[in-house]
Structures are given as C-alpha cells and as structure tokens.
C-alpha cells in the first residue's frame, strides 16, 4: 500500500499472514503482485541483454499505462463505496442486533433447563448418598469393634502366655497385638483404649525384663541348665520388642563371652605382648567354634552373634595392643612389629572370609607398583618387573631383592584394618629401619665400586648401560613401597617417601657425581709433533711454518681413557634412567597418598640427576675439545703472511678430523641408548669449536691473500666435517637434525665471510668498507678492527678505516638492525634452558 507524504511515496509493510490471505483470495501470476517482489531481478528479466535496452521507452509507456489503469480502478471503487456505504452499514447493524437478542434468549432458556435438571438429580440421589455414608460408618464401626475384640482377647492371652513363659506363642501374638494398637492411635483419648494400650506397653516391658533376667541367670550360673528351645523362642520375642532391649542383651552377652579373653591377655600378662599376638587370634577361633556348638541353636542367624563377638573382640584387641605398645615402646623392633602386623592382617582377612565376601587376587600391587608396562619396559625398568629376576647385565644385582608374592586384596569390609590400625603410630620404626637399610645398601654400592670399579665395555662398540646398583636400588624401593602400602597409606607412607628422597640424593652424590672423572690421565695422546710437521712439509709450504716444532712444545693433550669415557656414558645413561624412574615413583606415591599427595615432590631430585647428565655431556665436550686445542695453537702460530701456495686442506684440519673420527664414533656407540644426549653433545661441541676457531683466526696477523684462501678452504672442509659429525664413521650416513645443521651453516658461513673480507684488496678505504658491510651486514666496529688486524694493519693505521666504517654503518636504523639481529640468530631464541645451562657449564669447566 502506497502512501504519499510531502511528495515522497512510502510502502506500508503488511504482516505475512495478511499477504498470504490476499494471495489466496486474489491469486495472480503478475510479478508485481508477489509479496517478495525483487525490483532488480524484475528489471534484469525485462532487459536480459544490452540490445534489449532498445525497448526501454516501450516498457516505460506500458508500466505508466498499468499505473494509470490501476488508479482508475481505485477511484471507481472508492466512489461506489462512498455512495452505498451509509445505507448498507445501517442495515447490517440492525441485523446484528436482532441476532444477538435471539442468542441471549436461547442462552437464558438453556440455563433454566439446566438448573431444573440439576435439582431433579439431587432429589433422586439424596437417599443414595445417605445410604453410602451409613455403609461406610457401619463398616468402620464393625472393623473397630473387631479390632477392639482382638485387642481385648490378645491382651488377656498375652498376660497368660507371659506367666507360663510360652514365648513361641507370645512371639506370634505380640506382633499382631502391636499392629492392632497402632490402629487405635487416634482413639487414645478414650479411657478404655488408653488403658489397653498401656497394658500392651506393660506386657512388652515385662517380657523384656523377664527374658533378660532368664538369659542372665542361664548364662551366669555354672550349674543352671539351658532350655535351648525356650531361649530360642525368647529371641523371637526380642525381635518384636523395642530394639534397645535386644541391643542391651547382646552387649551383655558378648561382654561375658570375652571376659575370659580380657583376663588371659591382660596387659600385665606375658601373653599380651606382640610376639604372642597369634595366640589371641587362636583363642577367638577356638571360642567361636565352642560358641557355635553350644549356643548356635539359640540365637537367630540374622542376629550374627558370632560376627558381633568377633567385631567386639577386634575393638578390644586394638585397644589392648595400643596400651601395651605404648607401655613397652622401647621393646619393639621392626621384625617384631612387621610379624605382628602380618599376623593381624591375615586374621582380619580370615574373619572377612568367614563372615561374608570373598578374596580376589590383585596382582597389580605386587607386580607393578608404579604403572602398567610392556614387555620391553619390563626388561628395562625394575619397577615394572613381576619378580626380581633380571636378565640384562645391568640388573644382575637385583636378583637378591625379588618382589614379594602377590598379596590378597580384600573387598572393602568391616574387618579391614580394624585391628591393624593400632600399629600406625609405631610404623616410624619400620620407616627408620628401611632408612637404615637403604643407607647400608648405598654404602655397599660405594664399597663395591671402590673394590671392583665400573663395568668395562664388552666390545669396542658397546653401549653405556644403567648401573646394576641403580636397578638394585629401585627394586628395593619397589619392595618397600609394596610392603608399606599394605601397612598404611597415610603418614607412614609419606615419611617413607621422604626417606626415598634422601637416599636418591645420596645415590646421586655418592655414586654418580662422585665417580665422574675429575682429573683425566695422560695415557691418550694427540698426534705427535713430528707427524704434524711432516704433513705440513709435504704441502710444500716452506714459508708457511717457521719453527713449527715450538708450536706444540707442551705438546700432548690431557685426554680421558676409553674406560673413563665409558664410565661417563654409563653415569649419563643411569642418570637418565633415574630421571624417568623417579618420575614414576613420585606418581605412584602421590596416587597412594591421596589427600597427603601435595606434601610430596621429587622435583629437586630429578633436577639433581639432570645436572649429572649435563655434567657428563660437558666432560665429553671438554675431552674432545682438549684434543683440538693444540691445533688451535698451531693456527695462531702459523705464518700465514708467508704462504705462497694454496694446496689441499691444512695439516691442522686433517688432525682435527682425525681426532673426531677416533672419538665421536666411540661416544656414539657408548650413548646408543641415549641418542638425544649424543645429539646435544655434538651441538655443544660444535658451538664451542666454532667460537674457538674464529677466535684463533682473529689472532692471526698479517694474513696474505693466499693465506686467506688457504684458511677459507680449511674452513669449508671443517664445515663439511662438522655437518657430518653426528654420523661420522658410519657407512650409511644419517641426516643431522635441522637445528644442528642450521647452527653449523650460520656460524661457519659467517667465518667464511670474515675470511673473504680478509682476502679482499684495499685499493680504496671506502670500497673496502663497503664490501665488508655487504658481506657481513651486522659487523660491529670491534669485529671490523679484528679483521684489519688479520690483514696486518697496525692500530695506528686503522683510524681512517674505523671512521669510514662508522660513517657507513651509522645510516642503519635501529629497527633495521633489530630485525637483522632477529633474522641472524633465530635458533638462539628457541634454545632450551637445558642447552643454555650446558653451555654455561662447559665454558666454566674449560
């Protein structure tokens, strides 16, 4: 619907239901009549191509004609409605009023008829309702009279049966009388009903007192005879009486059953001590057998009298043992304590099997105190073995510490630790004993290493093994953990965890750290001076070396022996094993400790073993670096300004590579089980080597062009060998890690650029400086000064060069420099903290 306002036309949006109704009343195929009319789509339909625009004027005239026709129809319709609207409206209103009056008349008529019908129905059903009420009252009266009659007769009968002690009939009748009394709960305001209810209460009280007295007389008198049938029926009566009556009677009966036990095992008696704790349990077994034979027929089975006696026995035993242990604390030793606990737990298990439930095997706790394992893990980790049998050589010492046999895990029950908990305050004796045993075990390890030394490699390609004493230590830990979890998972287990922590520190310090080589011996030497001189002479570089014999006067590097290298590898492998196994130990302890778990952590101990690993790697780096040290000296002492010919790689390069080929394959074999640490070793050695190599080059003065070319050739040879270092000596080469390759390429590439600048001619200062900044974009003034030293410029001659260099580099913006720095060393930003710590440790040692 269009509306005009101030010359603008707006379309009024009609509700969707109105539009739908219009479409149903006035169906049309004209797109202009559709509710979802899209003007753009309609225009595109009218003019699908550019040529169709030629009909634009015809289409406009057609649309304008349609608009004009629609306006004419609207005007005619409005005029027609205006002429007839008044008369038709009055007629329609009159008809509507007449229809409403007729409807009201019909409704009033129907209402009157409904009221008449309702009155007739009430008259017809009045008598029926009265009869129904009378029937209900009569039925209730008859039922109440019957209950009253039953109550009267029942009370009289009960009084007679109580006097004659006919408890069987009393038990059957008393419950029915009690139910009838409950029926009269709303009638206690009637004196006769209240009197009968009181009589029933008096009868119950009399029965309780009478039966209790008879029980006490029968079981207290040694001469009195037991009327089994009568007492059994009396128990049925007790089930109907108030619960406290039966409870008091059973409490008294159980106390007299255990009276003898209290006398025999008084705290002042010899039988009361822990070494005779099994006699307590033997007494109960014998007594329960006698009780079943003599009194089993008296008490109903659902009373569980035997179980109640056993339960009270356990409570009394726990209290008695606690008192006697406090009194004689100084006499308790770990053997006596564990024996008493074992016997107590076994007896608790026996009681549970006797009085309900069944035991199930729980091999998990005995075979795997830390986690489930695969067959491969079982061969490596003594924690994951089901027995102490170790097949590998590094665990041969674990045989004598076999795991205990699978224990019986009991379904949660009332007897679980009901007595054994009394030993918890004294389990510190067990913990102290295990601490002492662990101290002695570690001292034994120290003595064995002092006498027998470390294991020797079985072959030239033998890999480092986990020390056998490490496997023994963790097998002992496993045994202690399994045993302690059977005793308690509370404070004693937490204290045992603290003991484990202390002894792990001792093992790390006394076995691993203490046996790392401190001072290398001198049995292994580098290539002799004469052989190096001979190789250099063969290169026909007579001007290259003058007085080369004096280069290496001090001569021979201090190296580790093969046995010492193998010892370092074994210590590294053992420390890695300790890190992993300590993590498993901590997880298992925290799982068992439950709420106490946050109090225990072994993070510091793991970090100690990690430090041993780092120290071991640094020692291996130090050893190989010592082999290269004389060659660095040879570089600095060589007269590179006198080189007149560029030949093959220099003798020092051959010497270095020779040392690598003789040492690295051996270390790779020794660290075969710790591959990641061999890679770390290669990376750290390469870093240190490249730093010292560039430092040695910078100490060379006055290098001529041929000397620089020879050094560049040597650098490229070293770069290739360093890239091949992790797989040196292997028939099938392995691709080195990407991080390692990027490190070598970046650092050695920079060294090559320094040598290229060194060999560049100095025709003009500006040209030389420009070439230097292009080859080494991040070169600083100090490094540039060292390059000038390498070219043979004295400090007094370097002034113009430095000024030109500063002028050239001052144009670099700070942001550009920062971006370059970031691009230049991406690896330095991702180095792990462990690698950085290794670097610091290596530099400190060297």
């Amino acid at each position: 619907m269009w509306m005009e306002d101030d010359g603008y036309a707006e379309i009024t949006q009609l509700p969707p239901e109105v539009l739908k109704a219009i479409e149903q009343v006035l169906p049309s195929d004209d797109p202009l009549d559709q509710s979802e009319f899209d003007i753009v789509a309609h225009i595109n339909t009218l003019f699908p191509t550019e040529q169709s625009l030629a009909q634009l004027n015809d289409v406009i005239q057609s649309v304008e004609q349609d608009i004009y026709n629609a306006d004419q129809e609207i005007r005619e319709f409005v005029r027609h409605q205006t002429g007839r609207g008044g008369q038709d409206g009055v007629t329609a209103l009159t008809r509507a009023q007449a229809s409403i009056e007729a409807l009201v008349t019909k409704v009033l008529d129907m209402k009157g008829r409904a009221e008449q019908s309702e009155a007739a129905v009430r008259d017809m059903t009045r008598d029926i309702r009265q009869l129904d009420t009378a029937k209900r009252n009569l039925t209730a009266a008859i039922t109440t009279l019957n209950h009253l009659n039953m109550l009267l007769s029942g009370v009289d009968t009960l009084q007679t049966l109580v006097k004659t002690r006919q408890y069987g009939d009393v038990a059957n009748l008393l419950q029915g009388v009690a139910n009838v009394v409950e029926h009269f709960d709303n009638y206690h305001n009637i004196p006769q009903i209240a009197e009968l209810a009181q009589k029933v209460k008096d009868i119950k009280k009399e029965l309780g007192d009478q039966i209790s007295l008879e029980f006490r007389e029968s079981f207290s008198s040694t001469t009195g005879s037991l009327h089994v049938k009568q007492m059994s029926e009396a128990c049925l009566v007790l089930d109907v009486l108030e619960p406290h009556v039966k409870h008091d009677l059973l409490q008294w009966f159980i106390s007299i059953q255990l009276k003898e036990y209290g006398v025999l095992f008084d705290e002042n008696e010899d039988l009361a001590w822990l070494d005779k704790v099994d006699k307590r349990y033997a007494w109960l077994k014998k007594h329960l057998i006698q009780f079943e034979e003599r009194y089993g027929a008296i008490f109903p089975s659902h009373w569980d009298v035997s179980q109640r006696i056993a339960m009270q026995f356990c409570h009394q035993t726990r209290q008695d043992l606690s008192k006697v242990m406090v009194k004689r604390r100084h006499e308790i030793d770990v053997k006596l304590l564990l024996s008493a606990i074992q016997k107590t737990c076994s007896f608790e298990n026996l009681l549970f099997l006797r009085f309900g439930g069944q035991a199930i095997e729980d091999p998990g706790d005995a075979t795997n105190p830390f986690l489930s394992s695969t067959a491969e893990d079982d061969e490596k980790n003594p924690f994951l073995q089901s027995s102490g049998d170790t097949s590998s050589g590094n665990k041969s010492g674990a045989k004598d510490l076999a795991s205990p046999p699978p224990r019986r895990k009991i379904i949660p029950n009332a007897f679980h630790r009901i007595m054994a908990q009394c030993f918890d305050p004294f389990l510190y004796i067990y913990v102290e004993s295990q601490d002492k045993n662990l101290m002695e075990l570690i001292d034994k390890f120290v003595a064995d290493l002092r006498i027998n030394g470390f294991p020797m490699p079985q072959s030239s390609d033998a890999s480092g093994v986990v020390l056998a004493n490490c496997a023994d230590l963790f097998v002992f830990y496993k045994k202690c953990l399994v045993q302690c979890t059977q005793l308690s998972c509370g404070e004693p287990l937490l204290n045992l965890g603290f003991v484990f922590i202390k002894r792990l520190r001792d093992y790390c310090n006394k076995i691993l750290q203490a046996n790392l080589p401190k001072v290398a011996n001198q049995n292994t030497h580098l290539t002799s001076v004469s052989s190096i001189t001979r190789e250099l002479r063969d290169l026909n570089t007579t001007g290259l070396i003058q007085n080369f014999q004096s280069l290496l006067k001090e001569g021979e590097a201090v190296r580790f022996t093969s046995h010492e290298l193998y010892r370092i590898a074994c210590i590294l492998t053992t420390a890695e094993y300790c890190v992993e196994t300590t993590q498993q130990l901590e997880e298992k302890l925290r799982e068992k400790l439950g709420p106490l778990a946050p109090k225990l952590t072994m993070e510091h101990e793991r970090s100690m073993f990690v430090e041993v690993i780092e120290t071991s790697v640094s020692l291996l780096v130090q050893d190989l670096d010592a082999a290269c040290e004389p060659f660095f000296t040879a570089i600095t002492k060589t007269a590179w300004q006198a080189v007149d010919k560029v030949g093959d790689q220099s003798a020092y390069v051959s010497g270095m590579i020779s040392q690598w080929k003789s040492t690295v394959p051996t270390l790779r074999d020794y660290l075969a089980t710790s591959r990641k640490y061999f890679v770390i070793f290669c990376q750290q050695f390469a870093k240190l080597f490249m730093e010292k190599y560039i430092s040695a080059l910078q100490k060379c003065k006055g290098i001529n062009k041929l000397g620089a070319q020879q050094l560049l050739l040597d650098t490229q040879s070293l770069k290739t060998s360093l890239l091949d270092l992790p797989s040196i000596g292997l028939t099938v080469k392995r691709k080195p890690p990407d991080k390692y390759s990027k490190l070598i390429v970046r650092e050695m590439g920079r060294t090559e650029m320094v040598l290229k600048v060194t060999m560049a001619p100095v025709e003009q200062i500006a040209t030389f400086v420009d070439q230097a900044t292009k080859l080494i974009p991040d070169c600083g003034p100090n490094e540039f000064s060292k390059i000038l030293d390498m070219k043979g410029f004295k400090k007094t001659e370097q002034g113009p060069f430095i000024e030109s260099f500063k002028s050239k580099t001052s144009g670099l913006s700070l942001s550009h420099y920062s971006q370059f720095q970031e691009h230049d060393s991406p690896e330095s930003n991702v180095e792990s903290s462990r690698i950085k710590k290794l670097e610091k440790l290596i530099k400190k040692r060297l």
Side-chain angles (χ1 to χ4, degrees), residues 99-139:
S99 298
I100 292 172
E101 290 176 357
L103 181 60
V104 170
T105 303
K106 290 180 180 180
V107 170
L108 293 176
D109 183 55
M110 291 177 64
K111 181 179 179 182
R113 292 180 181 180
E115 291 175 351
Q116 293 175 2
S117 299
E118 183 180 0
V121 170
R122 279 200 302 269
D123 292 340
M124 287 187 293
T125 59
R126 183 181 297 112
D127 295 337
I128 296 175
R129 289 200 304 274
Q130 290 177 353
L131 289 174
D132 286 342
T133 301
K135 179 182 177 181
R136 287 196 300 270
N137 293 337
L138 182 60
T139 301

Side-chain angles (χ1 to χ4, degrees), residues 165-393:
R165 291 178 168 78
Q166 299 180 35
Y167 295 126
D169 296 333
V170 170
N172 294 328
L173 183 59
L174 184 59
Q175 184 62 54
V177 171
N179 293 336
V180 173
V181 171
E182 291 180 1
H183 178 75
F184 288 100
D185 283 344
N186 297 328
Y187 302 96
H188 283 183
N189 56 335
I190 301 175
Q192 292 80 0
I193 300 299
E195 182 180 354
L196 289 173
Q198 186 60 42
K199 284 183 179 182
V200 173
K201 290 182 180 180
D202 294 340
I203 291 173
K204 286 185 177 182
K205 185 176 184 306
E206 182 181 355
L207 277 171
D209 295 341
Q210 181 174 306
I211 293 173
S212 297
L213 180 61
E214 290 180 2
F215 266 84
R216 294 174 189 273
E217 290 177 352
S218 299
F219 287 103
S220 299
S221 176
T222 57
T223 58
S225 58
L226 294 174
H227 302 284
V228 176
K229 182 179 179 181
Q230 180 178 337
M231 299 184 72
S232 176
E233 293 174 345
C235 290
L236 299 178
V237 175
L238 291 176
D239 277 334
V240 183
L241 299 179
E242 281 73 10
H244 71 85
V245 178
K246 182 178 76 172
H247 177 270
D248 294 342
L249 179 62
L250 284 175
Q251 194 172 24
W252 168 82
F253 177 76
I254 293 172
S255 66
I256 65 170
Q257 294 297 308
L258 296 177
K259 185 175 181 180
E260 178 188 0
Y261 171 73
V263 174
L264 290 175
F265 295 92
D266 184 78
E267 61 179 289
N268 296 318
E269 298 293 333
D270 186 55
L271 290 175
W273 190 227
L274 298 181
D275 59 345
K276 297 180 178 59
V277 70
D278 54 329
K279 295 188 180 297
R280 293 175 179 266
Y281 310 140
W283 179 91
L284 179 63
K285 289 188 284 187
K286 180 180 178 181
H287 184 79
L288 288 179
I289 293 173
Q290 294 175 350
F291 168 79
E292 295 289 349
E293 293 175 351
R294 296 179 60 185
Y295 309 127
I298 294 178
F299 299 99
S301 59
H302 66 273
W303 280 24
D304 298 325
V305 178
S306 296
Q307 184 172 352
R308 291 173 184 268
I309 293 174
M311 187 68 69
Q312 184 59 34
F313 168 86
C314 293
H315 289 302
Q316 185 171 336
T317 300
R318 184 180 69 243
Q319 296 173 1
D320 292 347
L321 288 176
S322 297
K323 291 180 182 178
V324 73
M325 284 191 291
V326 170
K327 185 176 180 180
R328 302 170 65 177
R329 183 189 299 264
H330 62 282
E331 300 180 31
I332 304 176
D333 58 36
V334 65
K335 183 177 180 181
L336 178 62
L337 180 65
L338 293 180
S339 175
I341 294 176
Q342 180 182 5
K343 293 175 181 178
T344 302
C345 292
S346 299
F347 187 67
E348 290 175 347
N349 186 23
L350 179 64
L351 289 177
F352 175 59
L353 295 177
R354 166 64 181 81
F355 295 112
Q358 59 180 349
I360 58 174
E361 292 292 343
D362 182 31
D365 284 343
T367 60
N368 183 5
F370 291 96
L371 45 80
S372 59
S373 65
T374 62
E376 181 180 355
D377 293 332
D378 288 344
E379 295 179 359
K380 181 179 179 182
N381 193 338
F383 282 104
L384 310 178
Q385 298 170 5
S386 58
S387 67
D389 185 18
T390 53
S391 57
S392 60

Side-chain angles (χ1 to χ4, degrees), residues 576-710:
E576 181 186 12
Y577 173 79
C578 289
V579 171
E580 298 173 357
T581 313
T582 301
Q583 177 68 33
Q584 299 169 9
L585 173 63
E586 180 183 358
E587 292 173 357
K588 195 63 180 179
L589 279 169
R590 292 171 70 89
E591 175 188 338
K592 296 291 185 181
L593 285 170
L596 297 176
K599 296 184 178 181
L600 182 77
T601 178
M602 296 184 176
E603 182 64 31
H604 176 66
E605 287 62 44
R606 287 196 296 275
S607 65
M608 291 180 64
F609 289 117
V610 171
E611 184 177 350
V612 171
I613 294 174
E614 294 168 347
T615 303
S616 301
V617 173
S618 70
L619 287 174
L620 298 178
V621 172
Q622 174 186 353
D623 178 72
L624 188 55
D625 177 72
C628 299
E629 189 62 34
F631 300 106
F632 289 130
T633 304
I635 294 174
T636 59
K637 299 297 183 179
T638 300
W640 297 104
Q641 69 276 12
V643 176
D644 55 3
K645 180 180 179 181
V646 178
D648 294 334
Q649 63 186 24
S650 301
Y652 74 87
V653 176
S654 301
M656 288 179 177
I657 296 175
S658 176
Q659 291 298 321
W660 297 349
K661 289 182 177 180
S662 64
T663 303
V664 174
T666 302
L667 295 181
R668 183 174 57 239
D669 293 336
Y670 288 170
L671 298 177
T673 58
S674 301
R675 176 69 182 173
K676 64 180 179 180
Y677 291 109
F678 172 72
V679 174
I680 291 175
F681 156 76
C682 292
Q683 183 172 340
Q684 295 309 305
F685 170 75
K687 279 187 176 182
L688 181 62
F689 174 84
M690 290 184 293
E691 289 177 3
K692 299 186 74 171
Y693 180 65
I694 187 62
S695 177
L697 293 180
Q698 290 174 347
K699 293 179 182 178
C700 299
K701 310 297 182 182
I703 303 175
N704 62 19
K705 183 176 181 179
L706 293 177
Q709 291 177 354
Q710 181 65 51

